[in-house]
Amino acid sequence: MTVEDIERAGISRSRYYRFVRGETQISVVDLSRLLKLLAVSFSELFAGVIADPYQLNSDE
């Protein structure tokens, strides 16, 4: 995936780079656009995270 692909999906280059640099959070709309480009669903993204959100790290 290129930055041009991301721009074609409707996410501006500057907004994408601000997110990558940690200067802003990604919106749900932009996250949805990125997931569509990656052919990943919201449920696939959060698989295991939502199922047990309070699971402790075994190293703790």
Side-chain angles (χ1 to χ4, degrees):
M1 173 178 11
T2 65
V3 175
E4 288 77 19
D5 294 332
I6 293 168
E7 286 182 307
R8 279 192 292 277
I11 302 169
S12 73
R13 185 179 295 247
S14 62
R15 190 170 36 187
Y16 171 73
Y17 282 126
R18 284 194 318 265
F19 168 69
V20 170
R21 289 190 303 259
E23 296 172 0
T24 188
Q25 294 182 2
I26 193 166
S27 71
V28 173
V29 173
D30 288 344
L31 176 60
S32 177
R33 290 173 177 160
L34 286 175
L35 291 176
K36 187 173 181 179
L37 281 174
L38 295 168
V40 174
S41 69
F42 275 102
S43 60
E44 290 172 311
L45 177 67
F46 293 109
V49 175
I50 294 175
D52 195 359
Y54 301 106
Q55 181 177 356
L56 295 175
N57 184 337
S58 61
D59 295 335
E60 292 180 352

